[in-house]
Amino acid sequence: MDYSDNYAGFLTPGVQSVAIGGNTLCDMITQLPAINTESPAHVVVSSAGGNEILRGVSRPNMYDSASLLMEALRNRFPDAQITVVDVHPTLLSSVNSEKEITNPEIQNDVLARPNTCWIETAPIFGVTGSDPAPAGMMLDNIHYDSTVSFQIKDALINDCGVAFP
């Protein structure tokens, strides 16, 4: 969501983003100290392993990192709702095929934990399975445009109750 953060009106003054383009789930664990809120109501993980897929990280390592991130978030913010956004459709067939394997595995881990929510992005793109994203919704092969960003924000609010104060 590092691109989304740059769109006027996406973030509100009461929201902190520590998103850094290209970060993996493992990187996100090391970023936790950068969150300067003692007890946020919501924590959003903006991709469930997209950068791992792009880098060829093994599934077991990706799953371990996702699980460790969830544990670290829960330990640091025991009362926060943790929402995870899945790996979205892209224009790269290799990513689209792999996300169909990894998204369900990580989703199962996320939803087995208390006070969590999962955002599936394929419906936002109007695709199913390993179908590619419509090119008109993309900035490049992997990043979606501002319209999709705000649709994901709407899903965060409407489907998971994430507040943007």
Side-chain angles (χ1 to χ4, degrees):
M1 308 249 6
D2 58 310
Y3 277 76
S4 301
D5 294 356
N6 296 315
Y7 298 129
F10 187 84
L11 292 181
T12 55
V15 175
Q16 179 189 11
S17 174
V18 295
I20 297 174
N23 270 3
T24 62
L25 295 162
C26 187
D27 294 328
M28 291 179 203
I29 295 168
T30 65
Q31 284 176 250
L32 291 182
I35 300 173
N36 63 15
T37 303
E38 289 290 321
S39 56
H42 304 276
V43 175
V44 176
V45 176
S46 62
S47 178
N51 287 324
E52 282 82 352
I53 293 172
L54 288 169
R55 294 180 185 173
V57 173
S58 72
R59 288 183 199 138
N61 285 346
M62 183 187 326
Y63 300 154
D64 287 347
S65 293
S67 186
L68 288 171
L69 176 61
M70 293 300 292
E71 288 174 24
L73 285 168
R74 183 55 64 219
N75 288 336
R76 172 114 187 256
F77 307 115
D79 299 322
Q81 176 183 292
I82 301 169
T83 299
V84 179
V85 180
D86 73 356
V87 177
H88 64 274
T90 69
L91 298 177
L92 302 175
S93 59
S94 60
V95 172
N96 295 331
S97 296
E98 188 63 25
K99 76 174 181 59
E100 288 304 299
I101 299 166
T102 60
N103 276 340
E105 289 294 322
I106 295 175
Q107 179 185 23
N108 288 338
D109 181 31
V110 169
L111 295 180
R113 298 169 188 272
N115 202 14
T116 58
C117 192
W118 179 266
I119 298 292
E120 183 182 350
T121 55
I124 293 169
F125 288 86
V127 300
T128 59
S130 60
D131 292 342
M137 300 175 95
M138 303 298 287
L139 296 174
D140 56 32
N141 285 338
I142 57 174
H143 299 102
Y144 44 80
D145 66 14
S146 64
T147 300
V148 174
S149 294
F150 282 96
Q151 290 174 333
I152 291 173
K153 180 179 180 178
D154 288 345
L156 290 167
I157 294 166
N158 297 325
D159 297 349
C160 295
V162 174
F164 285 82

